[in-house]
Amino acid sequence: MSAAASVEGFMPFRGYETWYRVTGDLAGPRLPLVVAHGGPGCTHDYVDAFKGITALDGRAVIHYDQLGNGKSTHLTEKGPEFWTVDLFLAELDALLAHLGIAGRYAFLGQSWGGMLGAEHAVRRPEGLKALIIANSPANMHTWVAEANRLRRDLPAEVQATLLAHEAAGTLTHPDYIKASMAFYDRHVCRVTPWPAEVARTFAAMDADNTVYRHMNGPTEFHVIGTMKDWTIEDRLPQIAAPTLLISGAHDEATPEVVRPYREKVPDIRWVLFADSSHMPHVEETEACLATVSDFLREHDERG
C-alpha cells in the first residue's frame, strides 16, 4: 500500500511556532487523530509509526512537536516557571483550532502525551470523541516508586554505578548514561539497536534537554523537575470520552502505574502488549496500530 500524502506546517503560538504534520485527508469521514509525544521534551519522531493508521483505515493523523522541541521553536533560555501543563494545554487547543478540527477529533498521547491528554480530557472538551492513553502515569510519585522498583532488578554493578554518580551529582558522566541505558533497553524500548526514529528523538533530547530537564529531571527514575508532584488520579472520573489504555508487559508504566486510569476513568478498556515495554507502537507495531484503529472505528460514526 502506498504511503498516504502528508502536509507540514507551522502554527503561530504566543509569538513562537509549533510544527505539525497532517498525514491523510482532514476532510475525510473518520475522526482525525492527534498524536502527542512524550517527555516532556521528546519529539514526534519516536511516535511516527502512528501515521500508519492512515493506511489502515483512511483517517487523518496529526503529529506535532510541542513547543521547545523538535522542529518547533526552541527556548533554551526559559526557566522552569515557563514550562507548565497549562502552556501545553493551550498549545493543543490552538492546534485544534488552527486545523479546524476542534469540534470533532480523537487524541492519542504517549507517556507524558497521555498525561497531557488526560488533563485535556478532564475538562470535557465537546469535540473530543475518543481518547487513547498510551504508557502513561497518573501520579508521578507512583511512577518514580515503580521505576526504582524495576531498577532494583538491574545487575548489581549497574545499580552501583547509578547510585555512585547520583551521590556525586555527576549525572552527565558517560558511565552514568551507559548505566541508565540498561534500564532504557529493558523498560523503554526493547528493540535493539533502537530504530532510527527512536534514536532521532533521543539525539534531539541530548542536543536540547531544556523541557525534559525542567519538567522531569535528568533520567526516567530521577524525577526532580516541576512535574515531580503531579497527579490526576482524583480528577479521572471527570473524563467523559471513551478511552483506550495501552501499555507493555515490560513497561516502566507498570500495571500499578496505569491502575488509576483502569479504575477511575468511567468508559475505559485496557490492552496489555505482552512483548513490549514503553513503546508498543515500535515493539509490536502491527498489533498496536490495529488495536488503536479498531477502537477508533467504533467511535467514528457516533463522533
Side-chain angles (χ1 to χ4, degrees):
M1 187 176 293
S2 60
S6 64
V7 177
E8 297 184 26
F10 288 91
M11 173 191 71
F13 177 65
R14 297 187 176 179
Y16 309 115
E17 288 188 319
T18 296
W19 173 89
Y20 66 88
R21 183 191 66 211
V22 179
T23 303
D25 183 7
L26 279 178
R30 296 197 181 275
L31 288 169
L33 175 65
V34 178
V35 177
H37 63 71
C42 290
T43 69
H44 79 280
D45 299 87
Y46 84 98
V47 288
D48 198 52
F50 285 113
K51 70 184 180 185
I53 290 174
T54 306
L56 287 180
D57 61 25
R59 82 182 63 251
V61 177
I62 300 101
H63 284 78
Y64 71 108
D65 282 331
Q66 295 159 31
L67 188 65
N69 307 292
K71 299 178 182 179
S72 296
T73 305
H74 285 241
L75 297 161
T76 55
E77 75 282 3
K78 297 294 186 182
E81 69 287 343
F82 180 83
W83 305 105
T84 64
V85 171
D86 285 344
L87 170 75
F88 293 110
L89 285 172
E91 181 186 38
L92 173 57
D93 286 343
L95 181 65
L96 295 170
H98 182 79
L99 295 175
I101 60 172
R104 182 179 177 273
Y105 61 95
F107 182 92
L108 184 154
Q110 200 280 332
S111 198
W112 145 253
M115 297 157 65
L116 181 65
E119 288 276 8
H120 179 69
V122 297
R123 302 183 306 167
R124 297 190 172 186
E126 187 175 341
L128 178 64
K129 306 303 181 182
L131 173 67
I132 300 101
I133 295 174
N135 323 94
S136 305
N139 185 318
M140 289 303 287
H141 289 176
T142 307
W143 171 263
V144 172
E146 285 292 275
N148 282 292
R149 181 181 65 80
L150 295 173
R151 174 172 147 165
R152 289 194 290 272
D153 291 330
L154 294 173
E157 63 273 17
V158 172
Q159 295 186 57
T161 299
L162 292 172
L163 287 169
H165 285 287
E166 285 165 1
T170 50
L171 302 184
T172 58
H173 192 283
D175 289 346
Y176 184 80
I177 294 170
K178 181 180 178 181
S180 299
M181 283 300 297
F183 179 91
Y184 283 58
D185 286 343
R186 186 178 289 191
H187 299 296
V188 178
C189 182
R190 294 168 71 87
V191 178
T192 54
W194 283 353
E197 67 271 23
V198 176
R200 282 198 302 273
T201 284
F202 280 89
M205 293 177 73
D206 286 342
D208 180 3
N209 69 355
T210 303
V211 182
Y212 186 77
R213 184 180 74 252
H214 285 312
M215 294 185 73
N216 184 86
T219 66
E220 294 294 274
F221 39 78
H222 204 62
V223 179
I224 55 176
T226 57
M227 295 293 290
K228 63 181 171 46
D229 296 320
W230 177 87
T231 180
I232 199 167
E233 284 191 72
D234 293 342
R235 292 176 285 149
L236 291 176
Q238 299 171 32
I239 294 179
T243 303
L244 171 67
L245 173 69
I246 64 177
S247 60
H250 308 280
D251 204 335
E252 57 181 338
T254 65
E256 180 63 20
V257 165
V258 301
R259 181 172 57 82
Y261 292 113
R262 302 198 322 262
E263 294 183 352
K264 297 187 177 185
V265 175
D267 180 5
I268 192 165
R269 71 184 68 165
W270 179 38
V271 176
L272 181 70
F273 290 90
D275 296 321
S276 294
S277 58
H278 200 50
M279 299 187 187
H281 60 279
V282 171
E283 297 161 297
E284 296 180 69
T285 304
E286 186 175 345
C288 182
L289 267 57
T291 297
V292 173
S293 175
D294 289 347
F295 170 74
L296 291 174
R297 286 184 216 215
E298 295 178 29
H299 303 287
D300 280 328
E301 289 187 12
R302 71 186 77 173

